[in-house]
Amino acid sequence: MSDLPLVTARLAERAADHDRDATFPHEGIELVHKHGLLTATVGARYGGEGAGLARTVDILTALGAGDPAVALVTAMTLFTHAAQARQPSWPEPYYAALLASSQAGPALVNALRVEPELGTPARGGLPATVARRDGDAWSLTGHKIFSTGAVALSWLLVWARTDEEEPRTGSFLVRGGSPGVRIEPTWDHLGLRASRSDDVYLDGVRVPLDATAGLTAPSPDARDEIGMAWNSLGLTALYLGVADAALEWLVRFLHERVPTSLGRPLATLPRFQSAVGEISARLTSAHVLVRALAAAADAGDAAQASIGKLIGTRAAIESVQEAVALIGNNALNRRNPLERHLRDVLCARIHTPQDDTILAAAGRSALSRHHDKETTP
């Protein structure tokens, strides 16, 4: 944990350059790997640290403050190892290969689920990507979008359906650079530009018959509550890190800015003191909530994780927006870090589950509790 401030500072040195050029932060990923953060969630059964969600929240907060693109790419790999530690789904030889490559250097993994026609899988539907039986292998064909870190992935977990009479769905384990895999550089986004979340095309990609994870008949009722908590709270931590970086910049600016008409730093004015206090209080509350819910999830209770995402991401977005409003027009200059922090933090809204889904579920739960009380004799 003592390495986290150093990693944050080192990542921040190149974050603006990678954002401007939309280039993948290879050296940032190398740094994360060097400090053992990329494999922190490898399970104890595999000889790893076995970090839980609370520890992962701390890691992703620190990485998000330095370079949120590095944090997002790292999160996908951390979540994969955590899921394997919690409920193994990778066949042993393939996971052993992933661990072996992780010893030699960064071995990035991501689940490729989103497709142009399907939208977000969380709202239902079957993937258009199809796996056809072809002798001793599957032949995989399809198109995935928003594939974070695609250019650097060691393994692609491609969500697809089989062409069987009764289709099964699951993840097909595809090695990065396999014949038939093509990455199209389509990512030209508002924020997280260095994440290179490009399109991936699969054209007859051959996958061994046993290289699958969770290949079963589709079940609309199947829910991995703990896995969803990792996604919700882990990614929220990343964006709270972005807001932390924005607040740090704001505080430094207010101390350094001395208008000639005032003759002293802006930090001495009650207006700015109150505003910074408001931002600080909001972020402190959000950090405490997210980490507490992460600890609860580590103990097996993930019931309120989505609420943590809602509150945490709103706090992050509102805090950066308020910092921008305090500085005024200069805050939106491309040379100002606040402009980048604002673009990055707005990406918090698009991760599953979205606000409308969270609020609808919370509303149904509250209404159900009230109804149960009214009808209890």
Side-chain angles (χ1 to χ4, degrees), residues 56-359:
T56 301
V57 160
D58 292 339
I59 292 171
L60 293 177
T61 300
L63 300 187
D67 185 339
V70 171
L72 184 62
V73 173
T74 299
M76 300 302 107
T77 298
L78 289 175
F79 295 168
T80 298
H81 286 304
Q84 181 71 11
R86 189 173 63 253
Q87 189 173 351
S89 61
W90 284 52
E92 285 296 331
Y94 296 97
Y95 193 63
L98 170 60
L99 293 180
S101 59
S102 297
Q103 294 292 321
L108 300 176
V109 191
N110 194 7
L112 276 52
R113 295 178 60 86
V114 186
E115 298 178 349
E117 298 85 3
L118 181 64
T120 173
R123 296 184 186 267
L126 290 177
T129 302
V130 175
R132 296 178 173 83
R133 181 74 176 264
D134 183 13
D136 62 350
W138 297 104
S139 178
L140 204 59
T141 299
H143 174 198
K144 298 294 184 179
I145 60 176
F146 305 146
S147 305
T148 296
V151 295
L153 295 179
S154 295
W155 289 89
L156 293 69
L157 309 186
V158 180
W159 188 52
R161 60 182 172 87
T162 65
D163 68 341
E164 298 163 320
E165 185 174 339
E166 295 185 2
R168 293 177 291 164
T169 60
S171 295
F172 292 77
L173 311 183
V174 178
R175 289 183 182 270
S178 294
V181 174
R182 177 169 60 89
I183 299 170
E184 193 70 25
T186 53
W187 186 246
D188 187 15
H189 210 255
L190 175 73
L192 278 299
R193 289 170 50 75
S195 70
R196 295 311 317 168
S197 300
D198 293 312
D199 286 18
V200 175
Y201 291 86
L202 305 110
D203 185 9
V205 177
R206 290 183 66 80
V207 179
L209 291 178
D210 64 341
T212 63
L215 188 57
T216 60
S219 174
D221 297 326
R223 291 172 61 86
D224 177 8
E225 296 286 353
I226 299 297
M228 292 171 64
W230 274 76
N231 188 79
S232 293
L233 298 174
L235 296 184
T236 298
L238 180 168
Y239 293 104
L240 285 172
V242 174
D244 288 344
L247 176 57
E248 182 179 348
W249 183 91
L250 174 64
V251 168
R252 187 167 58 250
F253 172 84
L254 293 177
H255 278 292
E256 294 173 352
R257 178 67 168 165
V258 182
T260 55
S261 60
L262 184 63
R264 64 182 191 273
L266 291 176
T268 63
L269 296 181
R271 169 182 169 236
F272 289 104
Q273 293 170 352
S274 295
V276 169
E278 182 72 32
I279 294 171
S280 181
R282 183 187 299 121
L283 289 180
T284 298
S285 300
H287 278 298
V288 170
L289 174 64
V290 168
R291 203 176 191 287
L293 291 176
D298 285 336
D301 179 8
Q304 303 301 325
S306 62
I307 298 295
K309 176 186 183 291
L310 178 80
I311 300 301
T313 55
R314 284 185 174 181
I317 291 169
E318 290 168 5
S319 295
V320 180
Q321 287 178 332
E322 186 166 345
V324 168
L326 282 172
I327 301 304
N329 198 39
N330 285 334
L332 297 179
N333 190 305
R334 288 294 297 270
R335 294 189 298 274
N336 191 315
L338 276 186
E339 186 268 349
R340 171 167 51 88
H341 296 325
L342 177 62
R343 288 187 289 103
D344 285 338
V345 81
L346 289 175
C347 295
R349 289 199 174 109
I350 55 89
H351 294 290
T352 301
Q354 280 87 27
D355 287 5
D356 65 317
T357 301
I358 297 170
L359 292 171

